[in-house]
Amino acid sequence: MGAVTVSLGDLPLRDELRGMKPYGAPQAPLPVALNVNENTHRVPDDVAEDILDGIAVALREVNRYPDREFTALREAFADYLGHGLTSDNIWAANGSNEVLQHVFQAFGGPGRVGFSYAPTYSMYSLLARGTGTGWVDGERAADFTLTAESAVEQVRAVSPDIVLLCSPNNPTGTPLGLDVVEAVYDATDAIVIVDEAYAEFAPHDAPSALTLLEGRPRLAVSRTMSKAFAFAGARVGYLAADPAFIDALRLVRLPYHLSALTQAAALAALQHSEEMLRMVDDIVLQRDRISATLEALGYQPSESWSNFVLFGGVDDPASTWQQLYDRGVLIRDIGLPGSLRVSAGTEEETTAFLDALASIGETA
């Protein structure tokens, strides 16, 4: 019997998924990969050893289902976050993307609308469409900032069911004032999610939206271990909210969605949080070095409270990206006119990027 070849268009795909492209970024075996906002520092050896020990213990009982409520991990996240939170305030999943997917499954769906202020994290709209939720993009000022007045005006015009506020914003690195969060929450009956995936890279005295949770049952703050904890490959994200909000997420999670091995690895890493977070100071140093050097080279770096820098003033982003690629450096063309984005890596990786960019000789 001969094989029959079909295309995606031949399958009975949901109408709202037709023409969409899956999320992704170039993966290439280049010496310097600074394109997906990873923490490029390796997990310290002593931490890695403890993680391996924890996994080894969990492996002995891997024939049994894991703790469905991942109780110990929720307690550890609550201790790490502070602010009077308890395990009842915590949810976790396989990366913050799955956490946000649970939010869309619980509070979105057909006939409901998600909303954020573009440019922002591109997965938000994909998660919305993947759950049958409508999506509307708002806008930011030319410098990517967002005022409370503008945010409220836009959210009232849309009346969404879910609002996502990325703070600091991806892909721009822009900080977001808590006054914006408060104003948006008060102006709508929507679920409001503050995505603080890069919160640890903000100034130490910058307040977190965690301080706003009390008395706001529709507010949640999402975090991840991928960035500050150098845990991108482990896929662990988490969220803090009112206990009733957490109960809503239980309704849509898959059974035993966090494996015993994932729970063990995350617990071990959290026990070394101070050591892991020392890497953040090194990354911030390189981020600020990148911004200063880009400006000296004639580019226009945006203010960043994250582990990456978006820079404008690029005459031909595609050509510049390719020339860096040819020099063994991978960064990200996110589609913003005249702009490229680079992650802050180790000192050696940062030097390689800056030297390669300087050798191109392109300025605004």
Side-chain angles (χ1 to χ4, degrees):
M1 180 177 178
V4 177
T5 302
V6 299
S7 67
L8 185 60
D10 297 321
L11 298 175
L13 193 67
R14 285 164 37 199
D15 289 341
E16 65 268 28
L17 297 182
R18 293 190 180 278
M20 289 184 64
K21 294 182 179 180
Y23 177 85
Q27 290 184 309
L30 295 186
V32 180
L34 301 173
N35 67 321
V36 287
N37 303 344
E38 295 162 318
N39 182 335
T40 64
H41 293 65
R42 296 176 65 88
V43 173
D45 288 343
D46 60 323
V47 181
E49 289 174 4
D50 280 356
I51 291 173
L52 288 172
D53 288 344
I55 291 174
V57 171
L59 193 60
R60 296 190 185 102
E61 297 183 0
V62 79
N63 59 306
R64 300 290 188 178
Y65 285 119
D67 175 10
R68 182 177 57 242
E69 295 300 319
F70 46 96
T71 307
L73 182 56
R74 287 165 48 223
E75 291 173 350
F77 277 132
D79 289 342
Y80 170 69
L81 292 177
H83 298 286
L85 297 172
T86 71
S87 61
D88 291 338
N89 299 110
I90 302 298
W91 188 247
N94 297 285
S96 59
N97 286 329
E98 186 179 53
V99 170
L100 296 177
Q101 184 180 57
H102 288 164
V103 172
F104 275 101
Q105 288 175 312
F107 300 106
R112 298 193 174 191
V113 174
F115 177 81
S116 192
Y117 303 89
T120 193
Y121 186 33
S122 61
M123 269 303 299
Y124 297 156
S125 60
L126 292 177
L127 288 168
R129 295 187 179 104
T131 55
T133 309
W135 184 259
V136 176
D137 277 319
E139 61 182 21
R140 295 169 175 267
D143 62 355
F144 308 122
T145 57
L146 185 64
T147 66
E149 294 76 14
S150 173
V152 166
E153 180 182 1
Q154 294 183 64
V155 82
R156 283 178 173 164
V158 175
S159 296
D161 299 279
I162 301 173
V163 179
L164 288 124
L165 300 169
C166 196
S167 175
N169 188 48
N170 178 15
T172 65
T174 314
L176 183 75
L178 293 189
D179 62 319
V180 177
V181 179
E182 292 179 283
V184 168
Y185 187 92
D186 291 342
T188 177
D189 293 328
I191 294 295
V192 178
I193 309 296
V194 183
D195 182 356
E196 291 190 342
Y198 300 93
E200 286 92 347
F201 300 96
H204 294 310
D205 59 352
S208 164
L210 293 168
T211 61
L212 303 178
L213 286 176
E214 187 173 356
R216 294 182 173 89
R218 292 179 288 105
L219 179 65
V221 179
S222 174
R223 293 281 188 101
T224 182
M225 295 186 76
S226 293
K227 313 303 180 181
F229 279 83
F231 237 48
R235 311 307 303 130
V236 183
Y238 55 107
L239 174 148
D242 186 270
F245 193 111
I246 304 304
D247 284 341
L249 303 185
R250 285 189 173 90
L251 299 176
V252 297
R253 58 111 178 263
L254 294 174
Y256 311 103
H257 69 287
L258 271 179
S259 78
L261 306 185
T262 298
Q263 293 182 42
L267 274 168
L270 283 168
Q271 290 167 2
H272 291 271
S273 60
E274 289 187 9
E275 182 176 358
M276 299 290 275
L277 291 179
R278 280 197 287 270
M279 292 185 291
V280 170
D281 293 334
D282 294 335
I283 294 167
V284 168
L285 183 66
Q286 297 309 315
R287 178 199 70 197
D288 294 344
R289 177 188 170 206
I290 288 171
S291 294
T293 306
L294 285 169
E295 191 169 2
L297 290 172
Y299 295 98
Q300 300 158 12
S302 297
E303 180 184 13
S304 177
W305 282 16
S306 60
N307 71 335
F308 58 83
V309 178
L310 177 75
F311 59 101
V314 186
D315 290 341
D316 188 341
S319 175
T320 300
W321 182 92
Q322 185 63 55
Q323 291 183 72
L324 289 170
Y325 184 96
D326 293 342
R327 288 164 170 79
V329 178
L330 183 62
I331 67 170
R332 189 78 174 266
D333 184 349
I334 59 172
L336 288 177
S339 299
L340 292 168
R341 192 191 70 192
V342 60
S343 306
T346 64
E347 181 178 2
E348 293 76 17
E349 291 168 329
T350 299
T351 297
F353 160 68
L354 293 172
D355 287 349
L357 186 65
S359 73
I360 294 174
E362 177 184 335
T363 58

